[in-house]
Amino acid sequence: METDHTFYELFSHRPEWLAALTGVDLPKIKEAHALSFKAAEARCDLVLEPVDSREVHTLVEFQFYFDWSIFNRTELSRQLLWRKLNLQDDCRRRRYRPRAVQSLVIFGSPKQIPPTDSCGAAVFVFDDLLDALRDREPNSPLLPVFSPLFDSAAHLEKNAKIHYRQIVDRRDLSDADRRLLTEIYLRLIAQRFKDKSPELLRKMIAELTPLAETSLGKSLLAEGRAEGRAQGQLEARADLIRSMKSRGLSDAQIAEFTGLQAEEIRAALAEVRSDTGGKSAPRRK
């Protein structure tokens, strides 16, 4: 599953949720953003800048696949960020106190952790973090949000409504928090069940919330309308071909009038018969 953007969106919105999840002590954050180091072609998933620039800056990587280079890449980003925060002229002043940078790497599973030096990065496993969070804060909104990542498909389908209500019914959350958490939950649901047909996925999401009220729902509705238009065009073309056939025109004559190849004419009729259970689609009036 694609998780980097999801985690970035969630924890840049609420860095304190990352602190709650990892147990890492973070200073008050002024800004959270992704950062690219163009000269060295290094990019990190999330940088948390404290309100007081003298406090520690935190660099975070979310790693949900195996990569031998993860710790080296993280350390390179940390060093480059350290250099960005601590200018050479400042570092030559004895009384100067360099800005510190700490790095965290959150893995999806222990199997994704390479058996190498972590280069000083604090290492976490996501399901372990969720287990610990469940013990510390059993009512944390992060628990239902992340359920699509680790719950079995059967359990997830059975409890999807419960998890959704656990998010939207939280009166202690702001409207912005609830909107973000529900969007992320629905997005993770869609990723988890990406093998479902678009129609079944739309039905599943619609059982949780009106499709028109979420970004994902609007996207699914747009896809459904596009599918409907495509099917309508297919049926209209087949209607035209059938009408010409009934008037005794040959495939060659139909091809001449419509600009279609003979193979396209046969395929159009076959596709409509297939989509209507082997029967010709009824003519439109």
Side-chain angles (χ1 to χ4, degrees), residues 152-163 193 204:
S152 68
H155 186 272
L156 189 58
E157 286 201 74
K158 180 180 178 181
N159 293 280
K161 289 183 180 179
I162 296 174
H163 293 157
F193 293 107
M204 182 177 183

Side-chain angles (χ1 to χ4, degrees), residues 1-59:
M1 297 176 70
E2 181 61 40
T3 54
D4 285 359
H5 178 72
T6 293
F7 287 142
Y8 166 77
E9 190 175 13
L10 181 64
F11 295 128
S12 62
H13 175 74
R14 285 288 191 181
E16 61 268 32
W17 288 344
L18 181 66
L21 180 66
T22 62
V24 172
D25 187 22
L26 296 174
K28 187 175 181 180
I29 301 301
K30 176 186 73 173
E31 184 179 356
H33 54 84
L35 187 61
S36 294
F37 303 99
K38 295 182 179 179
E41 296 185 355
R43 178 180 175 82
C44 59
D45 292 332
L46 184 66
V47 172
L48 305 177
E49 295 187 13
V51 171
D52 184 345
S53 64
R54 294 169 298 180
E55 294 193 83
V56 65
H57 288 63
T58 304
L59 184 152

Side-chain angles (χ1 to χ4, degrees), residues 80-241:
L80 290 170
L81 179 56
W82 192 96
R83 174 64 70 181
K84 178 182 174 69
L85 295 171
N86 299 286
L87 302 179
Q88 188 174 49
D89 288 346
D90 291 333
C91 290
R92 290 174 177 172
R93 294 187 290 111
R94 185 176 296 276
R95 292 186 178 180
Y96 177 72
R97 291 294 176 264
R99 278 51 171 154
V101 181
Q102 65 179 343
S103 54
L104 319 178
V105 183
I106 300 177
F107 291 91
S109 77
K111 293 180 179 179
Q112 294 162 351
I113 305 175
T116 59
D117 183 1
S118 67
C119 300
V123 177
F124 302 92
V125 176
F126 195 69
D127 51 357
D128 292 343
L129 291 175
L130 289 182
D131 287 342
L133 180 63
R134 192 173 290 107
D135 291 338
R136 293 195 313 271
E137 300 180 44
N139 294 320
S140 170
L142 297 181
L143 296 173
V145 167
F146 287 131
S147 60
L149 290 177
F150 297 105
D151 278 1
S152 68
H155 186 272
L156 189 58
E157 286 201 74
K158 180 180 178 181
N159 293 280
K161 289 183 180 179
I162 296 174
H163 293 157
Y164 185 79
R165 297 315 311 179
Q166 287 174 338
I167 300 168
V168 298
D169 291 342
R170 289 289 294 264
R171 297 298 99 190
D172 58 324
L173 296 175
S174 68
D175 290 343
D177 288 346
R178 282 197 300 275
R179 279 196 300 271
L180 176 62
L181 292 173
T182 52
E183 288 285 357
I184 288 177
Y185 176 71
L186 294 175
R187 187 188 308 158
L188 292 177
I189 285 281
Q191 289 186 32
R192 182 64 184 275
F193 293 107
K194 61 184 178 182
D195 292 334
K196 283 183 177 290
S197 70
E199 183 179 354
L200 288 177
L201 184 57
R202 284 193 292 270
K203 182 176 182 296
M204 182 177 183
I205 299 300
E207 289 176 351
L208 301 178
T209 183
L211 290 178
E213 293 184 2
T214 66
S215 297
L216 176 65
K218 290 175 183 177
S219 175
L220 292 172
L221 283 173
E223 290 176 7
R225 286 192 291 268
E227 291 169 3
R229 285 194 297 271
Q231 180 62 25
Q233 291 168 358
L234 181 65
E235 292 175 359
R237 185 170 64 179
D239 278 348
L240 174 62
I241 293 171

